[in-house]
Amino acid sequence: DANVHRRSSSLKIFYNDVYEVPLPPNHRFPMAKYRQTRELLQQWITAADNKHSNTATNNSNLETSIVEFQVSPLATVAELETTHCPLYIQRYLNGDMTADEQRNVGFPWSKESVDRSLSSTGGTVAAACHVLDQKRQQKQQIQQSPSERQPRPALHWAAHVAAGTHHAFYNRGEGFSVFSDMAVAANVVLERYADVVQRILFIDLDVHQGNGNAVLFQNKPQVFTFSVHCRANYFSQKERSDLDIELPAGCDDATYLMTLH
């Protein structure tokens, strides 16, 4: 039927829990949360696919989705250098950080920790590039056949079950953040996909302010930093995002969602 259109959406989810980092006993960082989150997502998606498979088969107007889980690639030095100091990068990769620097980051240095940091950044870069590759392809198809009737555009999504390392600065890390995955991804795609993306919005909903990203993009209008965080939970110097919203400790769900909307 020429009047029936099926729109499909693709979702690629990157994960890096294959890079396990040995931590001292009673270390406060919950490293297992990444694997647990990924496994829970896979269970939910499998259950949802089973529930809706018959409905989608009988109704060609429904949106179909394709979900693929993929191990996060390691970020390259060139990608890191779009955002971070080259000397800092090499010092970290080679294990030349001082004891104070390592204490500020919160992780002991190891080869496993390096791989985790690189994959935490590389997965976010890969997720952003996946979406923009699809957008670029759609744009090229429309340009090549402008007179043809175009189908409804597919929705392309990507996610990274890791990272969110928004406390990293140009030449130092803190708060379990060595490199800022979000900042590196933003700078990479602004270089590689200038024909597709011109501005980027960061919506940072961590309990802590995204202080590193706030500083990294202070003089870069292409990236707007928006942080919603707890006003009573600053462990480091407060910085200035493009938009900061502080919420009280113990804020309930209704207040949080009303503020975000």
Side-chain angles (χ1 to χ4, degrees):
D1 186 343
N3 294 319
V4 172
H5 299 287
R6 179 186 291 273
R7 183 171 63 166
S8 63
S9 61
S10 66
L11 172 59
K12 184 170 286 192
I13 299 177
F14 292 88
Y15 65 95
N16 77 335
D17 56 80
V18 297
Y19 297 102
E20 296 185 359
V21 179
L23 295 176
N26 301 319
H27 194 282
R28 72 182 188 274
F29 189 82
M31 190 68 68
K33 68 180 180 179
Y34 298 111
R35 174 183 53 78
Q36 294 167 351
T37 302
R38 188 254 305 168
E39 291 175 345
L40 186 59
L41 280 172
Q42 290 173 324
Q43 293 171 12
W44 284 350
I45 290 168
T46 299
D49 285 345
N50 292 337
K51 180 178 179 180
H52 297 294
S53 58
N54 292 334
T55 304
T57 300
N58 297 326
N59 188 343
S60 57
N61 286 311
L62 285 180
E63 179 178 305
T64 60
S65 61
I66 301 171
V67 180
E68 176 186 351
F69 284 81
Q70 185 171 323
V71 173
S72 306
L74 303 183
T76 67
V77 170
E79 289 169 343
L80 297 175
E81 287 181 347
T82 63
T83 304
H84 295 287
C85 171
L87 180 59
Y88 169 66
I89 295 169
Q90 291 302 322
R91 290 179 57 240
Y92 174 73
L93 296 180
N94 295 324
D96 293 333
M97 305 282 280
T98 67
D100 284 344
E101 288 174 316
Q102 286 301 120
R103 192 177 302 110
N104 286 337
V105 168
F107 292 128
W109 187 93
S110 66
K111 180 61 172 64
E112 293 85 356
S113 182
V114 170
D115 286 343
R116 179 191 174 277
S117 296
L118 293 177
S119 64
S120 291
T121 302
T124 304
V125 172
C129 290
H130 169 71
V131 171
L132 292 173
D133 279 335
Q134 308 305 311
K135 295 294 291 183
R136 175 180 280 167
Q137 184 178 356
Q138 286 181 349
K139 182 178 179 180
Q140 291 172 346
Q141 289 173 345
I142 294 173
Q143 291 174 340
Q144 291 169 0
S145 305
S147 60
E148 294 184 8
R149 181 186 178 190
Q150 300 294 331
R152 294 176 66 188
L155 300 178
H156 298 286
W157 306 84
H160 191 199
V161 190
T165 48
H166 56 178
H167 299 307
F169 293 80
Y170 174 69
N171 60 357
R172 63 182 176 89
E174 65 177 39
F176 305 121
S177 303
V178 177
F179 306 119
S180 173
D181 63 297
M182 299 165 64
V184 172
N187 286 322
V188 167
V189 300
L190 285 170
E191 287 186 1
R192 294 182 187 173
Y193 300 91
D195 58 319
V196 180
V197 59
Q198 287 77 47
R199 297 199 69 197
I200 293 173
L201 168 64
F202 282 1
I203 303 177
D204 191 335
L205 307 181
D206 191 85
V207 68
H208 301 113
Q209 184 198 38
N211 57 337
N213 288 336
V215 173
L216 287 170
F217 292 108
Q218 277 181 343
N219 299 310
K220 195 159 189 175
Q222 299 99 317
V223 178
F224 188 95
T225 54
F226 170 40
S227 179
V228 181
H229 47 269
C230 179
R231 71 162 61 105
N233 206 334
Y234 287 94
F235 66 89
S236 184
Q237 178 179 325
K238 179 180 177 180
E239 304 293 349
R240 183 173 181 177
S241 309
D242 291 306
L243 177 60
D244 286 302
I245 296 180
E246 296 179 327
L247 292 174
C251 170
D252 59 26
D253 290 352
T255 302
Y256 188 97
L257 292 173
M258 180 180 67
T259 302
L260 180 59
H261 291 162

